[in-house]
Amino acid sequence: MKQIQLTEHIYYVGVNDRRTDRFENHIELPNGVSYNSYLIVDEQVVLIDPVESGFIEEYLFKVKSALQGRKVDYLVINHDEPDHSSSIAAVLREWPEIQVVGNAKTFGPLEAFYGPITNRKVVAEGETLSLGTHTLQFFMVPMVHWPESMVTYEQHSGIVFSNDAFGGFGTLNGGIFDDQVNLAFYEDDMRRYYANIVGKVAMQALKAIEKLGGLEVKMIAPSHGLVWRDNLAWVLGKYTQWSKQESEPGVVIVYGSMHGNTGVMADIVARGAAEAGVKEVKVYDISKTEVSFIMSDIWKYKGVILGACAHYASMYPNMTLLTHEINEFKPKNKNYGIFGGMSWSGGGVKTLAKWAEDGKWNLVAEPVEVKGAPIREEDWDRLYALGRTIGELSTH
Ligand code: FEO
């Protein structure tokens, strides 16, 4: 079998998942996801982060093939989340003498998930572990993505095994390294991953990036998505931009509409934004597009305009999940606007306005509420003006 090698003695032994519909059972995976794992073969042999347990047979085959009869001495757990750690029991069955390497916060959750782990090595910030020629060094990156998260730096090769950080959705379709693929294909799914997984802890992500700044990094090997060796500046730049929440020109319009009227309003708002000079105007029906895609664009663009019709005395139900996610992830540096239909009760605009007030979201224009359908000139004018105002603020 032709091994995938990062260096002469460091192997990629990850797997592709094209059968899971939703990551963490809620984020759609139209392009799948990879669970990356790495093997270092030296005087001591190390596995860095295993894979999701459903792929254990394929995983063990790849690891054993690279090992050529040797055994694994250490298993580094950079992160406890089961998309990586859930095969730990199977790995320990295969090599019962493995020492599991984690930090002071690793083993509590790990044992809560999988039971006692007696053969363990607890490492601290900056601590090293010599393997022979290679030396691992451990750096804590709490909350990227869980409290115990850490990255492992291998000093001889200059590779950072970054776990969730610098990861992305999308399987690795033959190309494992960034210079073997069309990056444009991966960028949107990287940002969607960031906005829905890492974005909540953007400040901690920024600190993690700064921590890497002190190391001589030749390659970044995350646990999802591409291995970075040729476009390090590009991926570091993207992560820094997203972590600093530097929004790009553009407007995202999201609406929930029971009978189509609030959808018609969304088109009028969009026309106003476009005539303000915004080239990137995205319009989403919240009942059609899963929230992770919308959050990804909200993270990217400056203007965010939410529209909801009334549903009894509240708002179109699906919009509740989006406003919840905005509350959770707190995208900053946005210009918000609100619109929607009253139906017979009102409630959509009122609920969105209350949400904006409670969350102190930057509402830059008066909310626009329309009785029934937007069939009156003044309704068109108000909706158009809403789009135009936010568009003018979101073109630079
Ligand atoms: Fe890929 Fe937070 O696990």
Side-chain angles (χ1 to χ4, degrees):
M1 175 178 163
K2 182 88 172 73
Q3 305 296 338
I4 301 169
Q5 290 170 280
L6 278 65
T7 68
E8 188 181 353
H9 298 291
I10 301 181
Y11 299 86
Y12 175 89
V13 288
V15 297
N16 282 323
D17 182 356
R18 297 188 183 87
R19 57 195 193 219
T20 298
D21 289 331
R22 290 172 185 256
F23 192 75
E24 296 180 345
N25 211 20
H26 69 110
I27 299 169
E28 283 183 9
L29 289 173
N31 301 314
V33 66
S34 70
Y35 310 116
N36 301 347
S37 175
Y38 304 91
L39 176 72
I40 304 176
V41 180
D42 199 335
E43 290 167 25
Q44 301 289 297
V45 174
V46 179
L47 268 177
I48 297 188
D49 291 312
V51 299
E52 205 277 333
S53 62
F55 298 82
I56 188 64
E57 297 299 332
E58 176 187 349
Y59 178 61
L60 289 178
F61 174 80
K62 287 180 175 175
V63 175
K64 287 180 188 175
S65 170
L67 280 173
Q68 298 191 335
R70 292 191 61 184
K71 64 180 178 57
V72 179
D73 299 294
Y74 294 105
L75 173 63
V76 172
I77 299 289
N78 279 322
H79 178 29
D80 285 342
E81 195 168 8
D83 54 327
H84 311 287
S85 67
S86 56
S87 59
I88 189 169
V91 173
L92 295 182
R93 269 197 301 277
E94 197 68 39
W95 297 285
E97 291 167 10
I98 277 184
Q99 276 202 66
V100 179
V101 181
N103 60 66
K105 292 181 180 167
T106 302
F107 290 98
L110 208 57
E111 292 192 320
F113 281 127
Y114 310 113
I117 295 171
T118 49
N119 204 8
R120 63 172 74 175
K121 179 174 179 57
V122 178
V123 295
E125 172 76 12
E127 190 171 332
T128 58
L129 173 62
S130 174
L131 310 175
T133 305
H134 300 80
T135 301
L136 303 182
Q137 191 170 16
F138 305 95
F139 295 96
M140 308 304 131
V141 291
M143 296 314 298
V144 189
H145 158 223
W146 280 8
E148 85 298 344
S149 292
M150 65 180 189
V151 300
T152 299
Y153 175 63
E154 198 291 295
Q155 294 177 344
H156 180 70
S157 60
I159 298 175
V160 175
F161 300 96
S162 60
N163 199 270
D164 278 352
F166 304 103
F169 296 128
T171 52
L172 299 176
N173 303 325
I176 305 294
F177 299 94
D178 57 342
D179 50 294
Q180 297 177 327
V181 302
N182 178 359
L183 279 189
F185 175 80
Y186 285 95
E187 182 178 347
D188 278 353
D189 251 0
M190 271 188 69
R191 192 183 61 255
R192 191 164 67 92
Y193 176 90
Y194 184 96
N196 291 279
I197 307 282
V198 184
K200 184 169 170 59
V201 292
M203 285 314 296
Q204 285 94 328
L206 205 53
K207 283 183 191 158
I209 295 167
E210 286 165 3
K211 199 171 266 192
L212 296 186
L215 304 172
E216 190 189 351
V217 178
K218 293 183 180 154
M219 227 182 279
I220 297 175
S223 290
H224 302 290
L226 296 168
V227 177
W228 300 90
R229 65 181 180 187
D230 198 46
N231 295 276
L232 288 175
W234 184 88
V235 71
L236 282 164
K238 285 289 172 194
Y239 248 69
T240 304
Q241 176 193 345
W242 297 333
S243 299
K244 288 183 174 173
Q245 305 208 31
E246 295 171 348
S247 303
E248 298 176 21
V251 173
V252 187
I253 300 165
V254 190
Y255 69 90
S257 184
M258 288 197 291
H259 302 292
N261 293 313
T262 300
V264 174
M265 295 175 210
D267 280 329
I268 303 168
V269 173
R271 185 69 192 138
E275 288 214 327
V278 179
K279 297 265 193 308
E280 297 279 348
V281 179
K282 307 281 184 175
V283 179
Y284 292 110
D285 178 341
I286 189 73
S287 72
K288 296 282 195 307
T289 305
E290 192 260 314
V291 160
S292 73
F293 294 91
I294 297 170
M295 285 300 291
S296 180
D297 270 354
I298 288 177
W299 208 271
K300 180 175 184 178
Y301 295 116
K302 284 190 174 167
V304 180
I305 311 178
L306 305 184
C309 68
H311 181 254
Y312 295 100
S314 185
M315 68 176 170
Y316 186 82
N318 295 26
M319 187 61 75
T320 307
L321 177 57
L322 179 61
T323 53
H324 167 82
E325 290 295 86
I326 293 174
N327 284 346
E328 281 290 305
F329 284 80
K330 300 184 173 35
K332 294 190 178 72
N333 306 321
K334 308 295 170 192
N335 303 309
Y336 282 97
I338 286 169
F339 68 97
M342 278 188 73
S343 187
W344 47 265
S345 61
V349 168
K350 184 179 69 182
T351 305
L352 281 173
K354 175 83 167 59
W355 161 79
E357 184 184 347
D358 290 349
K360 298 187 171 53
W361 302 116
N362 182 33
L363 213 55
V364 296
E366 280 298 309
V368 177
E369 187 167 45
V370 172
K371 285 184 182 165
I375 53 175
R376 288 159 289 274
E377 285 282 337
E378 65 267 27
D379 293 334
W380 278 72
D381 291 345
R382 287 191 301 143
L383 290 161
Y384 178 91
L386 172 68
R388 179 132 197 157
T389 299
I390 293 178
E392 284 168 355
L393 291 168
S394 307
T395 50
H396 50 271

